[in-house]
Amino acid sequence: MNGSRMIGEVRVVGAGLLGASIGLGLRAIGVDVIVHDSSPVNLNLAIDYGAGRPAKDTDIPRLIVVAVPPDVTARVVAAELAAFPNAIVTDVASVKVSVLEELRATGADILRYIGSHPLAGRERGGPISARGDLFIGRPWVVTPHDDIPAAQIGVIEDLVLDLGAIPILMTAEQHDSSVALVSHLPQVVSSLLARRLLGGTESALALSGQGLRDTSRVASSSPELWVQILGANSASVVGLLREYRTDLDALIDALDAPSAPGARRAVAELLAGGNAGVARIPGKHGQDRRFSQIIVMVDDKPGELARLLTEIGDIGVNLEDLRLEHAPGVAIGFAEIAVVPEAEAGLVTELEARGWRIAEVAL
Amino acid sequence: MNGSRMIGEVRVVGAGLLGASIGLGLRAIGVDVIVHDSSPVNLNLAIDYGAGRPAKDTDIPRLIVVAVPPDVTARVVAAELAAFPNAIVTDVASVKVSVLEELRATGADILRYIGSHPLAGRERGGPISARGDLFIGRPWVVTPHDDIPAAQIGVIEDLVLDLGAIPILMTAEQHDSSVALVSHLPQVVSSLLARRLLGGTESALALSGQGLRDTSRVASSSPELWVQILGANSASVVGLLREYRTDLDALIDALDAPSAPGARRAVAELLAGGNAGVARIPGKHGQDRRFSQIIVMVDDKPGELARLLTEIGDIGVNLEDLRLEHAPGVAIGFAEIAVVPEAEAGLVTELEARGWRIAEVAL
C-alpha cells in the first residue's frame, strides 16, 4: 500500500485488541492516530506499542473509531458525537441494531454515525496482542442507516480498505441476522456441546477424536464477551435457537423409538439437511469449489513437515489447505492436504515414490 | 514391525474401507488373509488391491473379523460363529451393545465373540480408499463380555497391536456411552447446526469464518451410516440430547428476556460450562498441556509454507500442531502454529527478523 486513502487525523477510542490493531495499521501507512482509553494503563501500553499518540485539546479528528465492549459502545459513540460535532463516528462492535437503537433513543446526531464490524480473528487479547495486519483479507461489514450521505459511507470504506479488509455493505438488521447464523449460533451450539463433556468419564474423553475437537473448539471463547454479544443480539439468536430446538425435538422423538415407522427416515432427513447446509459455506477464496484431500503420515520430529511441503512444492502442486492432526498417545502426525482434484492422483503417486505413507485418500 | 503376533490365517468378512484396510495391514506383516464380501465386485476389487485371497473350503481361520455395516453386523457375526465352530469372531461396528444383545437373542455361541471398534479416521470410502496403515496410532476399543477367557481377549489385542493401534478394554455399555458423548453427540449437534444454514442468505454465508467451518465440519458425514449408528445407540444418545435440550431451553429462556434479573448470569454460566468442558479434552499425545499459538501470514503460492516450516526447523522449534486458514477472497493464508509456551517468544522474534508477518499471538 502506498499511503492512505484517508485524509487527516483519526481518533481511536478503546485500546483493546481491535482498537490498538486499527491504530497500528493506520500508523503503518502514515495516518496521524489519536488513541484514547478510559484506562490509563491500557492507553499508555497502546501508545508504547505504537498504536497512536495521546489526545490534544486542538485535535479536530474527521473520523472517530469506537472500539469498546458491546455493552458500552452506544454510550461512548454518543459522547464522541457530542464532543466532536464535525466528526464521523463508527464503531466495531459485533452487534449493530442495539447500538443504533440506543443511539436513537438518546437523541444522538446519528446522521454522523455509521456502524461497522470487522470479522477479524479472535476477539481477545488487549493491546499486547494487537497487530496492524489483523484485518488483512477479512470481511468488514459497514452498516449505513436512513439517509446517510454516500460521502460519509465512503469515509468508512476508506478506513476498511486502508486496513486491508474487504468492505461489505448491509443494513444493521441484515448484519445482526447474518452473524446470528454464522457466528452466534455456532458459538452457542458448541458451548452447550462442550458443557456435556463435564459429565464424561476420563476413559470416554480418551476416545476424543478430531470431530469432537473441531465441533467444540470455539467453546473456549470468553463468556464475558459472549454474554454481551448474545444479549445484544438476543432476538435473532433466539429465533435460530427455536428452529434448532424444533429439529432437536424431532430427532429426540425419532431416536426414542428408532424402530417406529418413519423414524429412520426422519433421522436421515435431518442428517441430509446438514449435508446440504454445510455445502453452502463458501470455500477458499470465496469459491464453492471442493478440493481433494490427501492424508500423509508424518513423523513427529522437527523438519519432517517442512520436508513434506518442500517436496510437494518440488512436485509443483499448490496446497489449497493444510492441517496437522496428532494421533493420541504416539509420536506420529497426519498432515491433511487439500489440492485441486486434477492434482490428486499425480501427487499421491509422486509422494509414495518418495517414500511417504498416504493414510487415506477421500473426496 | 517384524512379523505378526498372530498365528494362522485371518478371515475378514466385508471388504469396505475398514475390512480392506485390515486385510492390507495384516498382509503387510505376512499374515494369510482370507477376504470375503457378499458383493463379488467389492470382493474382487479388494483382492486386486492386495487385501487378501478368496476363501477355500479347507480354510480353518482362528480369527474372523466382521467389517460390515452396523445394521447387519450381528447377523453376519452369528453366521460366521456357526460356520466356523473353532474360530474367535470380532466385529468393528461403531456400536457394541446392540450387536451383543442381538447375538444373545439369536442363541449364538457368544463365548467365541468379542466386539471391538477402531476409532480410525473417517468411515467412508470402500476398498479403493483402504490403507494398511489406517489404524496406526488410533485407539481401538475391545469389549469383552461375561466370562470371556483372557486368552481369547489376547487374540483380539494381538490383532489390534499388529495393526499398529492402541487396544482399550471397556464393556460394551461403557463403549456405547463413551462414543455417544465424544462422537455421536458432536455429530448430531453439528448436523443440526449445518441444517440451519439452509435458511441463510448468500450474504450471510459470505461472512462465514473458521468458527462455523470447524463446528459444522462433521455435518458432511454420510446420513446412511449415521442413521444406523444413531439408531443402534439411541438410548445413550437420547439421554445426552435431553441433557443438551435442558441447557438449550435454559439459554432460550434467558435470551428471551436478556435484561431480566439473573438472565446474564444464566448465559454466563452456560458458556463457562463450555469452557470447562472443552478443557477436559486430552491434548496432543494424550496430554492435557496447553500450547502457545502463533499465527503467521503466508502468501498463497507454492513453496511459501514449506519455506516457513523449514525456517522454523532451522530455528530449532518443534511444531506441536499446525493448520492453514485462508481468508475469503484474497490470495493470502494464515498458518496457525502451536508450540510449547517456552518456545513462543523466541520463535516470534526469529520469524519477524526473517521477515515473516505474525498476525496475532494468543494463548
Side-chain angles (χ1 to χ4, degrees):
Chain A
M1 262 171 276
N2 300 308
S4 71
R5 288 170 183 80
M6 285 186 296
I7 299 156
E9 61 209 39
V10 173
R11 176 175 158 91
V12 176
V13 181
L17 172 67
L18 292 182
S21 294
I22 291 168
L24 285 168
L26 293 178
R27 293 233 19 226
I29 52 170
V31 176
D32 178 19
V33 177
I34 306 151
V35 63
H36 180 70
D37 196 293
S38 59
S39 149
V41 172
N42 254 11
L43 176 60
N44 289 330
L45 207 50
I47 291 169
D48 283 351
Y49 273 81
R53 63 165 173 86
K56 289 182 300 206
D57 286 348
T58 53
D59 289 333
I60 309 179
R62 186 187 172 203
L63 174 63
I64 298 171
V65 182
V66 172
V68 299
D71 257 11
V72 293
T73 294
R75 183 151 48 82
V76 175
V77 167
E80 295 293 318
L81 285 168
F84 298 93
N86 295 308
I88 294 168
V89 180
T90 190
D91 73 310
V92 296
S94 19
V95 286
K96 301 269 65 88
V97 172
S98 61
V99 173
L100 183 59
E101 281 178 352
E102 201 177 325
L103 284 170
R104 282 193 209 279
T106 60
D109 181 8
I110 58 167
L111 286 180
R112 290 187 289 116
Y113 164 74
I114 302 173
S116 79
H117 175 211
L119 288 101
R122 290 164 198 74
E123 303 184 54
R124 56 178 168 179
I128 297 172
S129 308
R131 292 280 156 179
D133 46 20
L134 185 66
F135 308 101
I136 292 179
R138 302 283 180 174
W140 188 319
V141 180
V142 179
T143 58
H145 58 91
D146 300 315
D147 302 315
I148 293 279
Q152 299 200 7
I153 302 171
V155 172
I156 310 299
E157 286 178 320
D158 284 348
L159 168 75
V160 171
L161 292 167
D162 273 345
L163 290 167
I166 302 159
I168 296 175
L169 288 179
M170 290 186 178
T171 66
E173 289 75 15
Q174 285 169 336
H175 169 274
D176 282 9
S177 66
S178 296
V179 293
L181 180 65
V182 302
S183 168
H184 306 174
L185 180 65
Q187 177 64 49
V188 166
V189 159
S190 180
S191 290
L192 296 187
L193 166 66
R195 201 171 131 81
R196 288 296 103 231
L197 300 178
L198 293 174
T201 62
E202 291 289 327
S203 56
L205 286 156
L207 302 183
S208 301
Q210 200 58 36
L212 175 63
R213 270 173 239 275
D214 283 349
T215 316
S216 65
R217 187 179 63 81
V218 296
S220 57
S221 301
S222 153
E224 292 74 22
L225 177 65
W226 276 96
V227 165
Q228 296 188 25
I229 294 174
L230 296 175
N233 199 21
S234 56
S236 290
V237 174
V238 162
L240 290 167
L241 290 180
R242 283 191 206 285
E243 293 174 9
Y244 188 95
R245 184 171 58 184
T246 301
D247 282 353
L248 181 59
D249 287 340
L251 188 64
I252 289 174
D253 285 349
L255 292 178
D256 252 341
S259 313
R264 291 175 73 102
R265 179 170 170 182
V267 176
E269 285 182 357
L270 289 166
L271 295 168
N275 284 181
V278 80
R280 293 198 66 206
I281 301 175
K284 183 196 172 192
H285 299 183
Q287 298 162 20
D288 210 348
R289 177 164 191 180
R290 293 310 181 108
F291 297 104
S292 297
Q293 209 170 47
I294 297 170
I295 301 180
V296 186
M297 306 185 65
V298 182
D299 283 346
D300 183 20
K301 58 187 186 192
E304 276 299 284
L305 191 61
R307 188 166 71 83
L308 171 64
L309 298 180
T310 301
E311 296 192 5
I312 292 172
D314 291 348
I315 295 166
V317 171
N318 191 22
L319 294 188
E320 300 299 328
D321 214 338
L322 179 139
R323 65 194 298 183
L324 192 66
E325 273 187 40
H326 277 95
V330 291
I332 200 155
F334 301 86
E336 277 194 32
I337 292 169
V339 298
V340 292
E342 304 81 59
E344 180 190 338
L347 181 60
V348 169
T349 307
E350 288 277 356
L351 286 176
E352 290 188 328
R354 288 157 196 250
W356 293 98
R357 287 187 293 171
I358 313 293
E360 189 185 356
V361 178
L363 272 181
Chain B
M1 261 170 277
N2 301 310
S4 70
R5 288 172 184 79
M6 286 185 297
I7 300 155
E9 60 209 41
V10 174
R11 176 175 157 91
V12 177
V13 182
L17 171 66
L18 292 182
S21 294
I22 291 168
L24 285 168
L26 293 178
R27 295 231 19 226
I29 52 171
V31 176
D32 177 19
V33 177
I34 306 150
V35 64
H36 180 70
D37 196 293
S38 59
S39 149
V41 173
N42 254 11
L43 176 60
N44 289 329
L45 207 50
I47 290 168
D48 284 352
Y49 274 80
R53 63 166 173 84
K56 289 183 299 206
D57 287 347
T58 52
D59 290 332
I60 309 177
R62 185 187 172 204
L63 173 64
I64 298 171
V65 182
V66 172
V68 300
D71 256 11
V72 293
T73 294
R75 182 151 47 83
V76 175
V77 168
E80 294 293 319
L81 286 168
F84 297 93
N86 295 309
I88 295 168
V89 180
T90 189
D91 72 311
V92 296
S94 21
V95 286
K96 300 268 66 87
V97 172
S98 61
V99 173
L100 183 60
E101 280 178 354
E102 202 177 325
L103 284 170
R104 282 192 208 277
T106 60
D109 181 8
I110 56 167
L111 287 180
R112 289 187 289 117
Y113 164 74
I114 302 173
S116 77
H117 175 212
L119 288 100
R122 290 163 198 75
E123 301 184 56
R124 55 179 169 182
I128 297 171
S129 308
R131 293 278 156 181
D133 45 21
L134 185 66
F135 307 101
I136 293 179
R138 303 283 180 174
W140 188 319
V141 180
V142 179
T143 57
H145 58 91
D146 300 315
D147 302 315
I148 293 278
Q152 299 200 8
I153 302 171
V155 171
I156 310 299
E157 285 179 322
D158 283 349
L159 168 75
V160 171
L161 292 168
D162 273 346
L163 290 166
I166 303 159
I168 296 175
L169 288 179
M170 291 186 179
T171 64
E173 290 75 15
Q174 284 169 336
H175 169 273
D176 282 9
S177 66
S178 296
V179 292
L181 180 65
V182 302
S183 168
H184 306 174
L185 179 64
Q187 177 64 50
V188 166
V189 158
S190 180
S191 291
L192 296 187
L193 166 66
R195 201 170 129 81
R196 288 296 103 230
L197 299 178
L198 293 174
T201 62
E202 290 290 326
S203 56
L205 286 157
L207 302 183
S208 301
Q210 200 57 37
L212 174 62
R213 271 174 238 275
D214 283 349
T215 316
S216 64
R217 185 177 65 80
V218 297
S220 57
S221 301
S222 154
E224 292 73 23
L225 177 65
W226 276 96
V227 165
Q228 296 188 26
I229 294 173
L230 296 176
N233 199 20
S234 57
S236 290
V237 174
V238 161
L240 289 168
L241 289 180
R242 285 192 205 285
E243 293 174 8
Y244 189 94
R245 184 171 60 183
T246 301
D247 282 351
L248 181 59
D249 286 341
L251 188 63
I252 289 174
D253 286 349
L255 291 178
D256 253 342
S259 313
R264 291 175 74 102
R265 179 171 169 182
V267 176
E269 285 181 356
L270 289 166
L271 295 168
N275 284 180
V278 80
R280 293 198 65 204
I281 301 174
K284 182 196 173 192
H285 298 184
Q287 299 163 18
D288 210 348
R289 176 165 193 179
R290 293 310 179 110
F291 298 105
S292 297
Q293 209 170 45
I294 298 171
I295 301 181
V296 186
M297 306 185 66
V298 182
D299 283 347
D300 183 20
K301 57 188 187 193
E304 276 299 284
L305 191 61
R307 188 166 70 83
L308 170 64
L309 298 181
T310 302
E311 296 192 5
I312 292 172
D314 291 348
I315 295 166
V317 171
N318 191 21
L319 293 188
E320 300 300 329
D321 214 338
L322 179 139
R323 65 194 298 183
L324 191 65
E325 273 188 39
H326 277 95
V330 291
I332 201 155
F334 300 85
E336 278 193 31
I337 292 170
V339 297
V340 292
E342 305 81 58
E344 180 191 339
L347 181 60
V348 169
T349 307
E350 288 277 356
L351 287 176
E352 290 189 327
R354 288 156 195 250
W356 293 98
R357 286 187 293 171
I358 313 293
E360 188 186 354
V361 179
L363 271 182

